[in-house]
Amino acid sequence: MKRDFDNQIVVITGAARGIGFAIAEAFAVSKATVIIIDVVPDAVEKAVAKLQSVGAKVFGYVGNVTDSAGIEALFAQIMAEHGGIHCLINNAGVTRDNLLIRMKEEEWQLVMDINLKGSFICTQKAFKHMMKARKGSIINIASVIGLMGNAGQANYAASKGGLIAFTKSCAKEFASRNVRVNAVAPGFIETEMTANLSAEIRAEYAKVIPLQKMGSPVDVANLCMFLASDASDYITGQTIAVDGGLTMQ
Ligand SMILES: NC(=O)c1ccc[n+]([C@@H]2O[C@H](COP(=O)([O-])OP(=O)(O)OC[C@H]3O[C@@H](n4cnc5c(N)ncnc54)[C@H](O)[C@@H]3O)[C@@H](O)[C@H]2O)c1
């Protein structure tokens, strides 16, 4: 999909690799000003270098989504240097899988802090700027696990289920300011996060996915482009799955 995002400033967290990087690449190709925020400095540098070959306006910032003061300062810097934040994509996320009986409090807390609190922090800081502009699109990268649950992922499922409820509440709160908030729920997508799955597990997953294959980060990026664009002007508070039909209602 190619759209024209000229003069649109799109901020993507956790975009140094994986799904976030694919989203950044799609927007860069579509002429957006792309702002990558990630916690790993080397990875930010490499991602920006790669993307500058496809888009002229790609900028990287090192930031941790759980650091409220740091994100506030970073968003103020982005406003000063680029003049706006039209779209925020809360993509930074981690897993710390364990059966509940063995799950350590640190494993629970880290996943909640990055996946849920990090999205709250970035949303709050971005909305301050979007409400003044009376326009904006916020996209939360949730997961089908937040809809269906999964054994060994109670922390991750709770964080993504929480993110879906957070999306609906923000959509209601921000609608009068013309700021839309939607969630994207990817299914099984080929990235570093899923690279260590065995061939057997992949085959098992493929059996339950109606389209019988894993998705690609580009599939997620395509939906983000639609939700960021005016083509989705009347859509807010929704959770849209990109999952090959896995969770169809
Ligand atoms: N891969 C999948 O199959 C899949 C499925 C459903 C949902 N998701 C979600 O998509 C998002 C991206 O997943 P991915 O597979 O690309 O993961 P990934 O691990 O490949 O990339 C995550 C990125 O987030 C960054 N990050 C981690 N903690 C951060 C923090 N505190 N502040 C800023 N950046 C931070 C990492 O450095 C990394 O670059 C996540 O929210 C994940 O939960 C992934």
Side-chain angles (χ1 to χ4, degrees):
M1 184 190 292
K2 195 161 186 295
R3 291 184 180 274
D4 194 346
F5 286 96
D6 211 4
N7 298 321
Q8 296 291 300
I9 295 149
V10 181
V11 176
I12 309 155
T13 68
R17 69 175 205 185
I19 292 174
F21 180 83
I23 297 170
E25 187 170 33
F27 279 102
V29 167
S30 301
K31 297 191 202 155
T33 297
V34 176
I35 314 280
I36 289 176
I37 298 176
D38 203 288
V39 77
V40 182
D42 289 2
V44 170
E45 213 174 289
K46 276 190 200 141
V48 171
K50 268 194 224 162
L51 290 181
Q52 277 171 344
S53 63
V54 295
K57 296 164 286 179
V58 180
F59 303 88
Y61 296 85
V62 177
N64 186 331
V65 295
T66 65
D67 170 13
S68 182
I71 291 294
E72 181 151 31
L74 190 49
F75 281 23
Q77 188 185 345
I78 292 166
M79 288 301 294
E81 290 175 1
H82 305 286
I85 299 175
H86 298 108
C87 176
L88 166 70
I89 304 180
N90 286 310
N91 166 79
V94 294
T95 51
R96 286 294 180 278
D97 299 351
N98 214 339
L99 291 177
L100 194 80
I101 195 88
R102 292 197 211 118
M103 189 172 286
K104 299 185 183 72
E105 284 191 24
E106 303 85 78
E107 291 169 335
W108 174 271
Q109 199 57 50
L110 182 85
V111 170
M112 285 297 170
D113 281 350
I114 296 175
N115 299 7
L116 191 51
K117 190 176 169 195
S119 299
F120 152 67
I121 288 170
C122 293
T123 298
Q124 189 183 55
K125 309 307 176 205
F127 178 63
K128 277 187 191 161
H129 302 290
M130 289 176 174
M131 68 186 281
K132 287 186 196 141
R134 297 194 80 83
K135 192 168 169 67
S137 172
I138 297 173
I139 302 167
N140 295 320
I141 306 299
S143 169
V144 291
I145 304 303
L147 297 167
M148 329 161 26
N150 198 20
Q153 290 198 302
N155 49 357
Y156 185 75
S159 74
K160 296 298 189 179
L163 189 57
I164 289 167
F166 174 75
T167 299
K168 294 178 190 174
S169 300
C170 292
K172 288 186 175 172
E173 237 177 270
F174 301 173
S176 63
R177 308 301 174 104
N178 195 31
V179 174
R180 299 181 296 109
V181 192
N182 290 288
V184 171
F188 296 104
I189 307 292
E190 296 278 8
T191 64
E192 282 93 333
M193 203 183 238
T194 50
N196 52 1
L197 295 176
S198 67
E200 276 169 349
I201 291 184
R202 276 163 201 277
E204 284 304 309
Y205 284 151
K207 275 189 211 154
V208 293
I209 299 170
L211 289 179
Q212 296 178 359
K213 58 179 181 185
M214 290 183 74
S216 97
V218 173
D219 297 321
V220 180
N222 283 337
L223 178 57
C224 291
M225 302 246 282
F226 170 66
L227 290 174
S229 77
D230 288 347
S232 61
D233 248 1
Y234 200 52
I235 299 177
T236 195
Q238 301 303 313
T239 299
I240 304 176
V242 181
D243 65 354
L246 180 67
T247 58
M248 72 174 80
Q249 308 270 320

